[in-house]
Amino acid sequence: MAAAAAGKALVASGLDVADIGMVTVATCSAIDRSPSIAAQVAARLGIPSPVCFDLNNACAGFCTALACADHAIRAGAARHALVIGAEKMPGLVDWTDRSTCILLGDGAGAAVISAP
């Protein structure tokens, strides 16, 4: 899901994969700890050598990842960043707890942000 959303965001941006200098994924449902989901997405999309990291953050994860990418761009560490939020919750949810399980599901979204 993360790679599919990221691929769509990359196409919509009009940039080439080589232009992306940073990939970050916000998720609290990652099964793999290493390599990071961000590194797996970068490899799947063929992004040559980005800075990659995951943020283990649920509800505010995408906003936190967006802020990290913004700070990296403002600091000159990257010119273009791919920011992804992705969750796959069904395997982690207690389906007998009807007060919370109905609030959680699967989904992914992504954006490319760039320096002005």
Side-chain angles (χ1 to χ4, degrees), residues 53-66:
F53 63 94
D54 293 349
L55 287 161
N56 184 7
N57 193 340
C59 297
F62 186 82
C63 294
T64 304
L66 193 59

Side-chain angles (χ1 to χ4, degrees), residues 70-92:
D70 174 61
H71 291 297
I73 288 170
R74 289 175 190 265
R79 179 137 178 85
H80 307 283
L82 182 54
V83 180
I84 307 156
E87 296 296 353
K88 186 170 177 163
M89 299 303 289
L92 306 174

